[in-house]
Amino acid sequence: MPDAGVSFRFYRWLLRLYPAGFRENYAASLERQFLDELSDSSGRFALVMLWIRIFRDLSISVPVQAAREVMRDSRHALRLWRRRPLHTGFAIGALAIGIGANTGVFSVVNALLLRSLPFRDPDRLIVTHIFIPPSGSAKQFHDWRQQSSYLEDAAIIAHGDVNLAALGNPPESIWRKRPGTSFRCWVYNQ
């Protein structure tokens, strides 16, 4: 058969799907059996039927062998963990700390860098520091905001020093910025 070498190489590659322990014990006998069946198959139809049987066998036996290997490894790991509870506790503690730290860092990065601003069009948001709108009263500012032809909406932010005092502690001076109510309504209604 002219493509026997290709078929054999492909079969050897398919045997890699089995777990390593199974391959060490049974790969040689499986290869011999495949070569015997390959030499017995004459014609294209027989070769196609051989490959159908092989794929059917692999689709059943590979998951079974992998599950056996996982169960064997799991039983071995559980026996080791029972014999060495201190090591197990340290490993579980290290995993818990690592997972917690990773979650915390991702939460901060997500909140600060990944999630977009809570505005509909954040690229259209501007802050002016020198501009002084009418701020004598809330009504004056509201009227100015309604009549503005170049702004869709506006909000005023008051800032300044305030003293903060806790019981039993001396007062501290802090810098504070307080947005007006129109700013809060504008942000939350977007």
Side-chain angles (χ1 to χ4, degrees):
M1 185 160 278
D3 56 348
V6 173
S7 293
F8 183 66
R9 282 195 302 271
F10 184 62
Y11 182 72
R12 288 185 78 184
W13 183 82
L14 285 176
L15 287 179
R16 293 181 184 174
L17 297 173
Y18 284 108
F22 183 84
R23 276 197 322 265
E24 289 173 5
N25 294 331
Y26 301 107
S29 61
L30 287 173
E31 289 172 0
R32 277 194 304 274
Q33 180 182 355
F34 174 76
L35 287 175
D36 290 344
E37 290 180 10
L38 187 63
S39 64
D40 290 344
S41 59
S42 59
R44 295 274 180 211
F45 181 74
L47 185 63
V48 168
M49 293 307 292
L50 172 67
W51 278 110
I52 289 173
R53 270 196 327 253
I54 286 172
F55 281 124
R56 187 183 65 221
D57 180 51
L58 286 173
S59 67
I60 293 170
S61 63
V62 168
V64 169
Q65 293 303 323
R68 283 184 185 161
E69 191 82 17
V70 166
M71 288 302 294
R72 190 177 309 125
D73 289 347
S74 299
R75 283 195 302 267
H76 178 70
L78 289 173
R79 280 195 307 269
L80 284 177
W81 290 352
R82 241 182 287 138
R83 283 188 213 148
R84 298 184 179 107
L86 189 63
H87 293 232
T88 303
F90 281 133
I92 291 172
L95 278 171
I97 289 171
I99 291 169
N102 191 20
T103 302
V105 167
F106 176 75
S107 297
V108 170
V109 168
N110 185 37
L112 296 178
L113 300 177
L114 300 178
R115 194 177 320 144
S116 64
L117 294 172
F119 306 115
R120 183 178 43 206
D121 296 320
D123 56 331
R124 295 183 61 206
L125 185 66
I126 62 166
V127 176
T128 59
H129 295 282
I130 301 174
F131 179 72
I132 303 173
S135 58
S137 70
K139 182 176 179 351
Q140 280 182 334
F141 179 74
H142 181 69
D143 291 341
W144 172 82
R145 190 179 70 197
Q146 294 288 345
Q147 296 169 2
S148 176
S149 61
Y150 53 92
L151 295 175
E152 183 177 323
D153 202 352
I156 195 163
I157 298 176
H159 57 84
D161 289 327
V162 293
N163 291 327
L164 180 67
L167 290 175
N169 292 329
E172 289 184 50
S173 178
I174 61 169
W175 179 257
R176 172 183 80 120
K177 288 188 176 188
R178 183 177 56 86
T181 56
S182 62
F183 180 78
R184 286 190 290 270
C185 292
W186 183 68
V187 168
Y188 296 128
N189 288 332
Q190 298 298 316

